[in-house]
Amino acid sequence: MLTKGDDFPLHQTPEPVAYPGTDRNFYDRYFFNGYSPDGETFFALAFGVYPVLNVVDAHFCVVRGGKQNCLHASRTLAMERLDLECGGIAIEIVEPLNRLRLKVEGEGIAADITFAGRAFPIEEPRFIWKRGPRTIMDYTRMTQNGHYTGWLSVDGKRTELPAGTSGTRDRSWGIRPVGQSDPQMPQMVPQFFWQWTPINLAERSVFFHLNAHPDGSPWNTRAVCVPDGAGEAEHIHTDTATLNTSIQTGSRWPASSTLRIGNESFTLAPMSRFQMRGLGYTSPKWGHGLDHGALEIEREDIDLNAVDPARPDNLHVQMLCRVTNETDKTGMGESGLGVFEQLAIGDYAPLGMTGLSDPV
């Protein structure tokens, strides 16, 4: 079967682009988040393509005033991977690796937002995670900070994005658990620990991520500092950064924490919280790659003050943080905004976490 992608130099196998291989868990995903300079408005979008499952899904969320308004959509892929629209959520690639446009219209939620990158995207170390003989994850991810222009609207209340609205996007592709769970996986208490801190400072971006085993030993980690306008060769990488994490009492959500990269020390102080299930992550109904038929669209409204932090689908969060660095080499200090994303499932000894989702 030939599709639009076959007219582009995208092929990775002798097959047409419609055929990605034999692993049912192959996926291709876009992620975006953004926030106003005062932190009052936060938005996020996720768009996933699952070629072997023949599914595409998309989600868009807005957080304001302690409420998270979410638009979910899923449809049949029909093997056409270049139709980046699903249930009123669409992505337009205006300039690859630099400018992308997001358009949303549905269930009282709308947006027209353009992302412009601050520098060339970073390529993170390849994520490979095995459980016994099974490869659970094997994927590549690129990440990029940028600025946003445009507007968004919820229930007729339109907001123009102010100057200085910034955020992060990523693109990942490869193998992750998607769709229905595999009944032949070994039965055991799940364990997964993930932290990610993309930060927007005045003249540069800072990135850190950590995947770790239950004892705290990392299986994938990296910190990168990227000056504005930097090309790929100008990224500064290190594997020796550390994130000293504090946890909110009665939860597994991060509190004020400190990221150390070389001689620099960044304080991350949470301002607000975003529940990642609004984008399908760990959502029982809207989990990534689940088959909802030809087309299904649904709105979900989350009262962030009423969320149970111990419920497994609420573990995955992004905390919008005010970030300060009093140790930068200019001696003047610097500040900005960023997110502290964390998903802690199961045991994690360094933070005293035990059980599936028991609060600390």
Side-chain angles (χ1 to χ4, degrees):
M1 177 180 176
L2 297 179
T3 64
K4 297 175 185 177
D6 289 302
D7 224 8
F8 293 83
L10 302 174
H11 298 87
Q12 301 280 40
T13 75
E15 296 269 25
V17 170
Y19 305 100
T22 58
D23 196 313
R24 70 175 295 277
N25 286 330
F26 184 84
Y27 80 100
D28 219 323
R29 179 172 300 139
Y30 296 81
F31 168 87
F32 299 82
N33 71 17
Y35 30 84
S36 59
D38 60 7
E40 294 298 316
T41 298
F42 183 99
F43 59 88
L45 182 147
F47 192 105
V49 176
Y50 316 94
V52 181
L53 302 179
N54 202 27
V55 169
V56 57
D57 53 31
H59 315 265
F60 181 74
C61 300
V62 178
V63 175
R64 284 187 299 199
K67 306 294 182 183
Q68 180 173 325
N69 306 113
C70 315
L71 177 64
H72 305 286
S74 174
R75 66 170 173 85
T76 301
L77 177 63
M79 300 180 76
E80 183 51 80
R81 295 166 66 182
L82 290 188
D83 282 343
L84 298 180
E85 190 281 333
C86 180
I89 300 172
I91 298 173
E92 177 187 352
I93 303 170
V94 179
E95 181 185 345
L97 304 182
N98 187 24
R99 293 178 64 85
L100 296 93
R101 185 181 182 188
L102 315 178
K103 299 184 73 174
V104 180
E105 183 65 55
E107 305 298 311
I109 299 175
D112 190 340
I113 297 169
T114 298
F115 172 94
R118 298 182 62 176
F120 195 85
I122 67 169
E123 179 181 341
E124 295 167 345
R126 185 167 170 177
F127 292 80
I128 301 176
W129 183 40
K130 298 178 182 293
R131 182 182 295 167
R134 301 289 296 274
T135 298
I136 308 301
M137 292 183 173
D138 184 359
Y139 67 91
T140 293
R141 191 173 82 155
M142 69 177 187
T143 303
Q144 184 178 36
N145 278 359
H147 296 295
Y148 289 95
T149 56
W151 58 269
L152 54 82
S153 175
V154 178
D155 296 331
K157 184 178 180 180
R158 176 165 163 153
T159 299
E160 302 290 334
L161 298 181
T165 298
S166 57
T168 303
R169 79 175 186 104
D170 72 49
R171 280 276 294 111
S172 64
W173 59 91
I175 307 301
R176 279 188 186 179
V178 295
Q180 297 290 340
S181 60
D182 184 345
Q184 289 188 293
M185 282 296 296
Q187 297 301 307
M188 61 182 70
V189 176
Q191 191 280 332
F192 186 76
F193 187 82
W194 163 252
Q195 293 178 322
W196 181 43
T197 61
I199 298 168
N200 279 282
L201 300 171
E203 297 180 351
R204 61 174 177 159
S205 298
V206 175
F207 305 92
F208 169 80
H209 76 263
L210 170 69
N211 275 127
H213 298 293
D215 64 0
S217 58
W219 58 265
N220 194 306
T221 189
R222 179 69 56 87
V224 189
C225 295
V226 182
D228 280 1
E232 187 173 15
E234 299 168 279
H235 297 173
I236 303 169
H237 296 257
T238 178
D239 295 327
T240 60
T242 59
L243 180 58
N244 295 328
T245 306
S246 299
I247 299 296
Q248 294 184 24
T249 301
S251 79
R252 290 191 172 204
W253 300 333
S256 291
S257 302
T258 302
L259 172 64
R260 292 189 172 87
I261 303 175
N263 294 325
E264 295 189 284
S265 181
F266 303 88
T267 299
L268 290 80
M271 304 166 63
S272 62
R273 185 181 76 254
F274 173 71
Q275 296 295 148
M276 291 290 283
R277 67 178 168 93
L279 297 180
Y281 294 85
T282 71
S283 170
K285 180 174 182 180
W286 287 101
H288 298 150
L290 293 176
D291 186 2
H292 293 267
L295 176 65
E296 184 169 349
I297 301 170
E298 182 178 79
R299 175 166 167 172
E300 178 185 12
D301 296 320
I302 302 172
D303 180 353
L304 293 171
N305 296 318
V307 167
D308 177 4
R311 206 173 78 183
D313 59 328
N314 289 329
L315 297 178
H316 196 178
V317 295
Q318 286 193 348
M319 314 298 290
L320 177 60
C321 295
R322 182 70 63 188
V323 182
T324 56
N325 173 18
E326 304 296 341
T327 59
D328 77 304
K329 60 186 178 182
T330 69
M332 301 296 292
E334 60 182 337
S335 63
L337 292 175
V339 300
F340 185 164
E341 178 178 325
Q342 182 168 288
L343 173 59
I345 301 173
D347 294 351
Y348 190 66
L351 296 178
M353 294 177 176
T354 58
L356 177 65
S357 59
D358 296 353
V360 175

